[in-house]
Structures are given as C-alpha cells and as structure tokens.
Amino acid sequence: MRPVNEKLASDLLEAGKQAFLEFGFQGASLRNIAASLGVTTGSIYRYYSDKESLFEALVEKPARELEERYREIQQEFARLPVESQLEGLPEVSDDGQMWMMEHIYDHFDAFKLIVCCGAGTKYEHFIDTLVEIECNASRNLIENMTEAGYELKPIDDELIHIVASALFNGMFETIRHDMSREKAFAHMDGLKEFYSAGWFKILGIS
C-alpha cells in the first residue's frame, strides 16, 4: 500500500539522508529524524520498519545497479581472447569505467552514504564486494595467460587483493573527498594508467 502522505515520505528520505551523513548510520536515530520533521517516531514506522530499512531505501537501487553492471563488464571482458584482454588492461574498459563513474556521480549522495556512513549496515562491505569481483577476474586472466603460454612472474592471492583494493578505494576516494565530477574523472584516468602499467610490471610482461 502506498503511503498516504507522499510529502512526508519524501521528507523522511531527505531527513534520513541528512542525519546519516551527519552522524553516520550508527549515530543517527529514528527519534531524532522524526523530531527534525516535527512528527512522532510512530509516523516513521508507517513507512520504514527500522533505521536500516530507511538507509536501504536511500542506497539500494544505485548500489545494486553498480554491482550488477560491474559483473556484466567483467563477464564481457572474460569472453575476449587473451590478447584482447591484455590490450584492454585494466579490466574495467574505458566505456565500463566511464559508465561506473557516471553512475556513481549521478547518485553521489547514495554512494557517499555507503562509503562514509555505511558502518553497521549490510553495505558496510560494499567496496569489498567489488574488490572480490575484480580479484576473481584477475585470477581468471592470469590462468588464461598461463594456458596461452605466457611466462609470468608468480603472484599470490594476497597481492591480487591488495591491487584490487587500491583500485576501488582509489575510485571512491573521489566521493569521500567530495571531488567535482570533472576532477574525479581526471583522477580516474590517471589511476587507470597507473593500474594498467602496474599489472604489466607485476606480471613481468611488456
């Protein structure tokens, strides 16, 4: 059933967002959110069962879309011949990287909530999920290169994870520091070049 007061529903989302941004998920409370709107806590329960459901309403859709699209990007990458994969390093293609950054900045507040205020929610490890997708893709690429006859330097799972973590934590640093879209995209171009060159160096190929 749709809420009977659409304005209150909208106001709750805005008040919840501001409270989470100011106090974090763990520091915010439904009581204070209700007080900021001049309504009772009981009024909020008509819309959200608890604080986490309110947080999820603010972030779920853009977070799910980013994760699903990133999985698709890696699946598309994995279907390419090994030579094409090497030419396309890093594994996030230009189009894929552009889409991801556009999506993140189109939903800036949602991702700000996730990376800066998500402790205590199921989104606390959202970046870790993206890192794991990247790790799996990296392992797959290394296996394919080995099968294709490339002589590679040894690389263990721990280093793969460190490199993948550097990529995604670097990407979301733009959100943590409230960078403009233009500045963020410029930094991501630099990060991509660094990441690509680093992979070739680590694997010992040219």
Side-chain angles (χ1 to χ4, degrees):
M1 179 180 296
R2 291 174 61 82
V4 296
N5 188 332
E6 294 294 341
K7 183 179 185 306
L8 178 56
S10 176
D11 289 346
L12 279 174
L13 287 173
E14 182 61 26
K17 180 181 73 175
Q18 295 303 324
F20 293 136
L21 287 173
E22 182 174 358
F23 302 108
F25 174 78
Q26 294 173 322
S29 71
L30 291 183
R31 177 176 297 178
N32 289 339
I33 293 170
S36 72
L37 295 173
V39 300
T40 64
T41 306
S43 299
I44 297 181
Y45 290 126
R46 297 173 60 188
Y47 301 84
Y48 302 104
S49 58
D50 53 26
K51 183 171 63 171
E52 186 153 9
S53 66
L54 173 56
F55 188 91
E56 185 166 2
L58 291 162
V59 306
E60 187 276 333
K61 187 173 184 291
R64 172 173 45 80
E65 290 174 345
L66 182 65
E67 180 183 341
E68 290 177 351
R69 177 58 185 139
Y70 186 53
R71 290 187 188 278
E72 292 173 1
I73 289 169
Q74 293 294 16
Q75 290 167 2
E76 292 167 1
F77 181 84
R79 289 192 287 268
L80 296 173
V82 173
E83 292 75 13
S84 297
Q85 292 184 29
L86 290 175
E87 291 174 0
L89 278 176
E91 291 147 22
V92 183
S93 66
D94 287 340
D95 288 344
Q97 175 192 318
M98 180 66 70
W99 183 89
M100 291 177 72
M101 289 302 293
E102 289 284 5
H103 183 74
I104 289 168
Y105 268 76
D106 285 346
H107 304 279
F108 187 96
D109 287 346
F111 288 104
K112 180 80 172 181
L113 287 170
I114 289 171
V115 301
C116 296
C117 315
T121 76
K122 69 179 185 179
Y123 297 94
E124 182 174 0
H125 302 293
F126 178 75
I127 293 179
D128 294 334
T129 299
L130 301 179
V131 168
E132 187 56 33
I133 296 171
E134 175 72 14
C135 287
N136 290 336
S138 298
R139 294 187 196 100
N140 183 66
L141 173 60
I142 291 169
E143 290 173 3
N144 290 342
M145 290 174 65
T146 301
E147 291 175 1
Y150 287 87
E151 294 185 8
L152 307 176
K153 290 181 179 179
I155 178 171
D156 59 23
D157 284 349
E158 286 82 3
L159 182 54
I160 291 174
H161 186 270
I162 289 170
V163 173
S165 295
L167 173 66
F168 277 100
N169 280 287
M171 177 181 290
F172 283 100
E173 277 295 287
T174 63
I175 298 294
R176 290 189 179 99
H177 294 283
D178 296 316
M179 292 182 191
S180 68
R181 186 183 295 248
E182 181 180 9
K183 189 173 184 180
F185 276 55
H187 285 325
M188 277 307 301
D189 284 340
L191 181 60
K192 180 187 174 188
E193 291 180 7
F194 180 86
Y195 189 71
S196 179
W199 263 117
F200 282 110
K201 185 69 174 179
I202 289 171
L203 294 175
I205 59 177
S206 58

